[in-house]
Amino acid sequence: MRIVPSRIVWLAAVCGFVSNLLCVQASEPYGPADAQITIVSMDPMSAPLACDCVQGYAQRKYEKLADHIASKTGMTVRVVWSESLVTALKSQAKSAHVVIGKDSVVRNDAKQAKRTLVPVA
């Protein structure tokens, strides 16, 4: 049986879609629910959102950032991981003081959530 190029492209797309579904992991927020500062991480390379295929590589630990901010400010910090700002605000965070993610994705999600965000870095 000869596989035509269009079938190869279709098969690759299906495999990519399935692998993305398998990579999505649910993660419990880090820190108290009534924290004074809430960080929403939409970073696909953060440890809870990273695919198992990159296990041990480039998995950023935002818990360490939260601990550092808490030690410097004396305030409580909560980290929420989500692939969507809208979902994070609906399910796990009342507000987002810091949002980390790809600029275009964060801007789009902020628009959908009807939030004004100011880019810092």
Side-chain angles (χ1 to χ4, degrees):
M1 178 178 171
R2 183 172 171 250
I3 298 177
V4 295
S6 62
R7 286 190 183 180
I8 293 172
V9 171
W10 182 83
L11 181 61
V14 169
C15 289
F17 177 73
V18 171
S19 70
N20 281 339
L21 288 177
L22 296 174
C23 288
V24 176
Q25 301 172 3
S27 171
E28 289 296 316
Y30 177 80
D34 62 345
Q36 297 164 299
I37 299 172
T38 301
I39 299 170
V40 175
S41 172
M42 298 169 47
D43 181 1
M45 296 310 289
S46 62
L49 296 179
C51 181
D52 288 338
C53 61
V54 294
Q55 190 169 11
Y57 295 97
Q59 293 185 354
R60 299 178 184 116
K61 309 278 188 208
Y62 287 104
E63 300 92 338
K64 292 185 181 215
L65 174 64
D67 292 342
H68 179 73
I69 292 172
S71 72
K72 293 297 181 184
T73 64
M75 301 172 84
T76 54
V77 181
R78 178 178 177 90
V79 181
V80 173
W81 290 271
S82 179
E83 292 182 348
S84 161
L85 179 60
V86 175
T87 303
L89 292 172
K90 283 183 181 177
S91 64
Q92 299 176 347
K94 297 174 191 163
S95 62
H97 301 97
V98 177
V99 180
I100 301 169
K102 184 177 178 183
D103 182 59
S104 60
V105 175
V106 172
R107 286 178 191 267
N108 183 56
D109 280 17
K111 191 180 293 185
Q112 288 180 3
K114 297 181 175 127
R115 303 289 172 115
T116 302
L117 300 180
V118 178
V120 181

